[in-house]
Amino acid sequence: MNIFRLAGDMTHLLSILVLLLKIYATKSCSGISRKTQELYAIVFMARYLDLFTDFISVYNTFMKLIFIASSLAIVWCMRFHPVVRRSYDRELDTFRYFFLVGASFALALVWHDKFTLQEVFWAFSIYLEAVAILPQLVLLQRSGNVDNLTGQYVFFLGAYRAFYILNWIYRYMTEPRFTRWIAGISGVVQTALYADFFYYYFISWKNNSKLKLPA
Amino acid sequence: TEQPEGHDEL
């Protein structure tokens, strides 16, 4: 474990806590893409198939459970919670994400570490996570003004993978024969998708103005 | 041991 990866995991956890705070405090999920939340639930369930077979550490198992439980809880809230579900931007959250799932799985069948169920699903989860934010970014562009907690949620979610890139660079430089091509290339693509959001987020922070993404 | 890619990370 190195400082970059710890910072990445803590930033990821923070993004989830901010999202839970927004939904709990405002009893609203306006501005949040349910499709992105569902994609993340799929990402975690596909990535952590080894949850009960490979024990890495208490920290690793604990965080996997947190990620799976929180993503499923958020999807449940947005679908079934009597108050929260009413604020879902159904008519704005229309990204046809089935293509993202299909393309990620097709790519995982072609490019993976080993052709085993666990490795193919792991690669699938890596590719799917790289594009999982797209429905959310599209929703932000359509929904005009973005409330602070939603903006912070997306910011931390994008920042965590940037820390992971620093972690892979650090490990590549300090560990012999360390390679993470699948996660590394996907992580760069994933972080690049946030580039314009980071730009407008920085502008809104510098000008102390409302975060607004151009349509 | 050659750890398969990525399985010690979240």
Side-chain angles (χ1 to χ4, degrees):
Chain A
M1 171 66 82
N2 61 63
I3 185 65
F4 301 112
R5 195 165 120 215
L6 184 62
D9 290 343
M10 292 304 106
T11 305
H12 191 182
L13 188 61
L14 185 58
S15 76
I16 292 169
L17 294 178
V18 165
L19 179 54
L20 287 170
L21 173 69
K22 176 219 163 45
I23 291 176
Y24 179 76
T26 65
K27 285 288 180 285
S28 156
C29 63
S30 68
I32 301 297
S33 163
R34 190 175 72 195
K35 295 180 182 248
T36 286
Q37 300 310 314
E38 288 167 353
L39 289 178
Y40 258 99
I42 295 168
V43 164
F44 293 135
M45 288 187 283
R47 186 172 303 175
Y48 301 147
L49 291 177
D50 64 345
L51 180 60
F52 300 110
T53 57
D54 300 352
F55 178 77
I56 307 265
S57 69
V58 172
Y59 170 82
N60 186 272
T61 301
F62 178 71
M63 293 294 275
K64 286 175 176 177
L65 289 170
I66 292 276
F67 289 161
I68 292 173
S70 59
S71 60
L72 290 176
I74 288 164
V75 169
W76 182 87
C77 271
M78 294 186 75
R79 278 193 176 274
F80 304 111
H81 187 286
V83 178
V84 172
R85 66 190 300 266
R86 281 209 300 267
S87 55
Y88 170 50
D89 302 324
R90 179 183 312 280
E91 66 288 342
L92 291 178
D93 193 20
T94 58
F95 196 100
R96 286 192 299 280
Y97 63 159
F98 181 76
F99 294 113
L100 299 179
V101 177
S104 303
F105 196 77
L107 183 57
L109 288 173
V110 171
W111 190 24
H112 43 259
D113 267 328
K114 275 187 305 189
F115 194 69
T116 64
L117 184 111
Q118 185 170 310
E119 286 300 316
V120 169
F121 271 90
W122 182 83
F124 163 62
S125 79
I126 293 288
Y127 303 139
L128 187 60
E129 185 186 5
V131 295
I133 197 63
L134 285 174
Q136 179 62 62
L137 291 178
V138 167
L139 179 59
L140 289 186
Q141 282 179 333
R142 290 177 178 170
S143 60
N145 66 325
V146 179
D147 70 73
N148 290 343
L149 285 173
T150 303
Q152 283 155 6
Y153 160 67
V154 176
F155 175 77
F156 290 130
L157 190 57
Y160 112 82
R161 214 62 181 169
F163 279 121
Y164 255 76
I165 293 171
L166 297 178
N167 151 64
W168 291 319
I169 295 169
Y170 175 82
R171 293 188 72 179
Y172 183 78
M173 290 187 327
T174 55
E175 295 175 27
R177 290 192 342 276
F178 176 83
T179 56
R180 282 284 188 284
W181 296 116
I182 292 178
I185 294 172
S186 304
V188 169
V189 168
Q190 176 171 337
T191 307
L193 288 177
Y194 286 80
D196 70 336
F197 173 84
F198 283 148
Y199 171 72
Y200 291 109
Y201 192 81
F202 171 71
I203 295 290
S204 81
W205 171 77
K206 195 159 68 75
N207 302 343
N208 197 16
S209 61
K210 208 67 176 120
L211 174 63
K212 177 129 182 56
L213 270 72
Chain B
T1 59
E2 180 56 38
Q3 177 87 5
E5 161 153 342
H7 293 313
D8 61 338
E9 296 179 341
L10 289 173

